[in-house]
Amino acid sequence: MKFKLIYLIISTLLFLSLNSTDMPVDLNDDYKLIATKNEFVAGDAIVLKFSTTGGLQPLLYASYSYGNTIIKPVTEVGMLNYNLPQTISSKSGVVNWKLLADNQTLSGKCHILPKTKAISMETYLGPPSIAAGRTDFSMLVVIPTDRFDNPLQDSTAVNVKHQFLNNEENNTVYIKNGISYKNIFSETKTGRMLISSECLGKNSKEFTLNVLPDLPTDFEIYFDRNHQYADGNQITSFTTSIIKDNYGNIVSDGTYAAFFISNKSKAILKTSGTTINGIASAKMIHPDHEDSWKVKAIIEGMAKSNTIELDYKPALLDFQVVFSEDNRTITIGPLKSFMNQMIPDGLEVSLSVFKNKTKHKTLLKSSFGGYATFKLNTNDFTNDIYNFKIETAGIEKPFKQIKL
């Protein structure tokens, strides 16, 4: 009877164990990483091997800098092999992995190092132009990479070479966080600097850095003219001295200089020019009446010139006015210049017409052949008595009580 009871108990327990769905099937499975190393070189075949005591084949979850992936195992007797794909094994960095087993938490990481040979050099230089004076600089950034486009390891030496005028320099910088860089400062002279870099026998292309003049300093201005008469026709030319920076370098061609002219009536005239070989030139037509000018040039926000003064004598001292055809045709001239020659064409003549002390109209004409002629039509000027004022070359002549 006792043996029968024991048999029933054992049979019941065996039945329950075979038909239970609540207990994990892989309860007795055990996994262990067979670690050989955790550092690899990019491009190597990377296999994570696990020993197992069961027949299940859990997946491996891998996370790296470009994303995440799931890897199926390749089975052997008592072994599970997880081959990392080349998309992972060729990229340097850290790969975190986790075995997706129900009854066991197993995770770790492996480090993939870049190869120790530079295949390409990513090199950047900017800005391409700097100012002379040892304060402005351009930055050279060098990123040597292996055949899988991985930046080389930190502390790898990079040689930076540059040549300027008669000087050649060779400096060593080291890769940090995947890049290396060098600040290249200007000299006090202008010119073209050549720059290159080298890492582990791999050389970059040649770069060119232009060292331009620094900010211009104050300068002098001069004038030149054929005569000093205000004929409204000739040209006065203004030029600067050779404009240089603080280090004696001639400023770049195209530097803009503005010339400001103040006359007797406090009006401001402006002309301008750009430098060629350090000299800026500008021109201004003579006034058409006696005047005095004060001229000053500036390079906005950077430099200014001295102030020069010019006087212009009147070219026209007097003129004749003739009324004809019932005073409706008014002829001004001859208009003679300083050598008794006819004034050049284009001198402006104005005729102001007043009626009862109120200005009725102003007419303008340009001289031609030494004369200017006004014709007053009956539509604008009815028959009546008017006052006239004729002005040219700064000379005014009034005519009162003229009957049309």
Side-chain angles (χ1 to χ4, degrees), residues 77-89:
V77 178
M79 295 284 292
L80 295 174
N81 298 325
Y82 295 89
N83 298 300
L84 269 63
Q86 189 175 12
T87 54
I88 298 178
S89 63

Side-chain angles (χ1 to χ4, degrees), residues 62 74 79 105 127 131 134 161 172 199 205 231 243 312 314 373 375:
V74 176
M79 295 284 292
T105 301
R134 296 196 177 100
K161 309 169 186 177
T172 301
C199 178
K205 68 177 183 179
D231 62 354
I243 305 173
Y312 290 90
T373 302
K375 293 183 180 293

Side-chain angles (χ1 to χ4, degrees), residues 134-151:
R134 296 196 177 100
T135 56
D136 199 7
F137 66 89
S138 183
M139 178 182 287
L140 178 72
V141 177
V142 183
I143 308 175
T145 58
D146 65 13
R147 62 186 293 261
F148 299 107
D149 204 33
N150 298 306

Side-chain angles (χ1 to χ4, degrees), residues 252-300:
S252 302
D253 286 353
T255 301
Y256 181 85
F259 295 79
F260 292 93
I261 303 168
S262 175
N263 61 17
K264 273 185 177 181
S265 60
K266 306 301 181 183
I268 302 296
L269 309 175
K270 179 184 176 183
T271 183
S272 61
T274 55
T275 58
I276 298 176
N277 297 326
I279 298 175
S281 301
K283 300 179 184 296
M284 179 62 74
I285 195 168
H286 283 209
D288 59 5
H289 58 275
E290 181 184 10
D291 207 350
S292 294
W293 285 358
K294 292 183 178 180
V295 186
K296 186 173 186 177
I298 65 168
I299 301 174
E300 188 171 358

Side-chain angles (χ1 to χ4, degrees), residues 38-43 46 63-67 84 87-97 108-115 146 148-154:
N38 64 353
E39 284 192 357
F40 304 89
V41 176
I46 303 176
S63 176
Y64 66 116
S65 57
Y66 285 80
L84 269 63
T87 54
I88 298 178
S89 63
S90 63
K91 299 301 179 183
S92 61
V94 177
V95 179
N96 293 285
W97 57 263
K109 64 177 66 176
C110 56
H111 300 268
I112 302 177
L113 305 177
K115 289 185 174 294
D146 65 13
F148 299 107
D149 204 33
N150 298 306
L152 300 190
Q153 292 189 64
D154 286 359

Side-chain angles (χ1 to χ4, degrees), residues 342-356:
M342 291 296 186
I343 203 82
D345 293 346
L347 180 67
E348 185 177 272
V349 181
S350 70
L351 171 64
S352 298
V353 182
F354 298 84
K355 186 177 181 180
N356 298 327

